[in-house]
Amino acid sequence: MLSAAEPTCFLIADISGYTGYLADVELDHAQDILADLIGAVVTALRPNFRLAKLEGDAAFTYMTAERLDGSMLLDTIERCYFGFRRRRRDVRQATSCECNACVRIPDLDLKFVVHHGSAIQQKVAGRQELLGSDVIVAHRLLKNDVVEEFGIKAYALISQKCIDAADIDPAALGMREHRETYDRIGDVPVWVHDLERRWQEEEARARVFVTPEEAFVTVTAQAEVPPQLAWEFLTKPGQRMTWQPWVTEVTIAGATGGRRGIGSANHCMHGKDAVIEEILDWRPYDYVTDRTILATPDGPLRVLHTIELEPTTTGTTIHMRFAAPKTKRELPLMEVIGPAYGQALEANCPSLVAQLAAALAAREADRTPAPELAMPKPTRTEPTGTS
């Protein structure tokens, strides 16, 4: 019996250039390299996206949702691509092997196709399969004219249907409008998100980060969930009130194209009073830094605040750090307000951890086992002492 059709976001991550790469490289090394890179890609997409199937040099993933958080969607795609670029570099530098497969690792790149529609799940030959016309559209979009039209090799091709479900303004985010046409499907309006440009911006951007040594107040919590889920919980405005009872409302200002990040600000209402958090650095799944501004009878108190997510073998260590203020006027204010606020955060961390655990359990409750990933030979990418 077929299950009912559900609204679904489909994401296909495809390692581009792999067919040409295979033509004249050593097959055993190439298979190890592909397994390593695909594993890194799938891990970066989880748990927001679930692996449906490995398709050669591509991973077909999906997320069941009628509406999408556009900011989280773009964070996930970009973080996955940035991780791919770093992993590609690390794999090449970690081996002294000069075979064609290892030397030509930089020839490989990554592209994404993202589409929103509906699908049913059916067991075929003992495996769960996604079926439906939108599944076909997502796969047809892999064959497109983006490289020829725009000269962009690393990109996310996002359908208009997905843009609508995510409620973002693609033009304001620098995406380029495009259209693909397929037999028996017709025109598919899409938007092209240039990931090479975003990678260059990421590498060039200055970091703003409160280190443990610079922290005036530090609060730490251990959660048995992946950093991706902790990031979602800590950066989505609507989640704040669930574990910080003193926060009565959170609104976002300055979110370009509907996307949270550098330049946007959280306005956190504490009754009649507002605490403003101006985002200064935004590194999905790793850390976010803001300038927190509190109104006091003695004038505003401005402090840098970093939330860092440190992966562990069982989940994530969440570090919340507040730096000392910069002026002599503000330091006495921080000496009074800082410890009290730290104690309030500390007291509510158990609620945060419990809600994170419940959210992960809810996501995993109805899921069938995902396809297994191939494991590369450990000797292929181990450091050799040379670079």
Side-chain angles (χ1 to χ4, degrees):
M1 179 180 295
L2 298 180
S3 63
E6 294 183 288
T8 304
C9 181
F10 311 97
L11 185 152
I12 304 175
D14 179 60
I15 296 183
S16 52
Y18 190 69
T19 301
Y21 170 82
L22 277 181
D24 53 4
V25 302
E26 294 76 7
L27 185 59
D28 60 334
H29 290 208
Q31 289 176 327
D32 280 350
I33 291 166
L34 176 65
D36 187 283
L37 294 176
I38 282 287
V41 166
V42 172
T43 299
L45 294 173
R46 289 171 173 164
N48 296 326
F49 286 88
R50 178 168 175 76
L51 180 64
K53 185 190 299 185
L54 291 176
E55 301 174 334
D57 53 0
F60 175 35
T61 71
Y62 69 99
M63 174 175 59
T64 302
E66 183 172 359
R67 304 298 301 173
L68 305 173
D69 185 316
S71 191
M72 284 296 303
L73 175 64
L74 293 175
D75 281 350
T76 298
I77 292 169
E78 290 182 1
R79 166 60 192 240
C80 182
Y81 181 69
F82 299 159
F84 173 87
R85 289 291 294 259
R86 295 185 180 108
R87 186 59 187 160
R88 187 183 71 179
R89 177 185 60 202
D90 292 346
V91 169
R92 177 66 192 105
Q93 292 178 347
T95 178
S96 59
C97 179
E98 294 300 323
C99 74
N100 285 330
C102 293
V103 169
R104 291 185 54 194
I105 289 173
D107 291 354
L108 302 174
D109 219 322
L110 187 63
K111 65 183 181 185
F112 299 83
V113 163
V114 195
H115 179 55
H116 190 273
S118 61
I120 60 175
Q121 293 193 41
Q122 181 183 20
K123 185 166 286 189
V124 178
R127 291 173 47 182
Q128 289 293 123
E129 296 278 353
L130 292 177
L131 303 174
S133 60
D134 286 303
V135 176
I136 296 172
V137 171
H139 282 83
R140 293 293 292 274
L141 284 171
L142 284 170
K143 302 297 183 183
N144 58 65
D145 299 325
V146 171
V147 175
E148 293 77 8
E149 184 77 17
F150 301 103
I152 301 171
K153 294 183 179 180
Y155 58 85
L157 188 67
I158 307 174
S159 73
Q160 183 65 54
K161 288 181 68 175
C162 184
I163 293 291
D164 293 341
D167 194 24
I168 54 176
D169 182 346
L173 292 168
M175 298 185 197
R176 299 158 87 171
E177 194 171 10
H178 186 49
R179 187 176 298 272
E180 295 287 346
T181 304
Y182 302 100
D183 293 341
R184 306 185 71 176
I185 293 175
D187 289 349
V188 183
V190 293
W191 291 84
V192 180
H193 187 42
D194 187 344
L195 294 176
E196 175 64 33
R197 173 179 62 83
R198 291 291 297 118
W199 166 254
Q200 297 297 336
E201 292 171 353
E202 174 81 0
E203 289 292 280
R205 184 156 49 87
R207 294 183 176 269
V208 184
F209 183 78
V210 179
T211 67
E213 295 75 22
E214 295 168 332
F216 186 88
V217 173
T218 298
V219 175
T220 300
Q222 306 287 341
E224 294 186 3
V225 301
Q228 292 92 323
L229 183 55
W231 172 269
E232 178 181 341
F233 227 78
L234 291 162
T235 62
K236 284 181 68 173
Q239 300 288 359
R240 185 76 65 90
M241 290 84 77
T242 65
W243 68 279
Q244 289 186 3
W246 58 86
V247 178
T248 56
E249 182 184 9
V250 180
T251 59
I252 304 294
T256 301
R259 185 177 187 186
R260 302 182 294 276
I262 296 174
S264 65
N266 301 322
H267 289 245
C268 305
M269 301 305 299
H270 298 204
K272 296 184 297 181
D273 300 322
V275 175
I276 299 173
E277 300 168 346
E278 300 173 341
I279 306 299
L280 304 178
D281 201 355
W282 184 267
R283 312 276 175 168
Y285 310 169
D286 293 332
Y287 70 88
V288 56
T289 298
D290 66 74
R291 180 188 292 111
T292 297
I293 305 173
L294 300 89
T296 79
D298 297 312
L301 171 62
R302 299 177 177 86
V303 295
L304 289 183
H305 167 224
T306 291
I307 301 176
E308 182 188 11
L309 304 178
E310 179 187 356
T312 67
T313 55
T314 59
T316 304
T317 302
I318 302 168
H319 304 279
M320 306 178 210
R321 304 190 189 101
F322 294 84
K326 297 295 185 181
T327 68
K328 291 182 179 179
R329 178 190 66 81
E330 293 172 300
L331 187 56
L333 296 174
M334 186 62 175
E335 289 174 341
V336 174
I337 295 173
Y341 191 67
Q343 289 171 8
L345 285 175
E346 193 86 47
N348 284 276
C349 278
S351 176
L352 169 63
V353 171
Q355 290 182 46
L356 285 169
L360 181 62
R363 292 191 184 189
E364 298 295 336
D366 299 325
R367 293 187 170 185
T368 56
E372 292 186 3
L373 297 173
M375 298 300 294
K377 299 182 182 67
T379 56
R380 181 60 51 210
T381 58
E382 286 179 352
T384 61
T386 62
S387 59

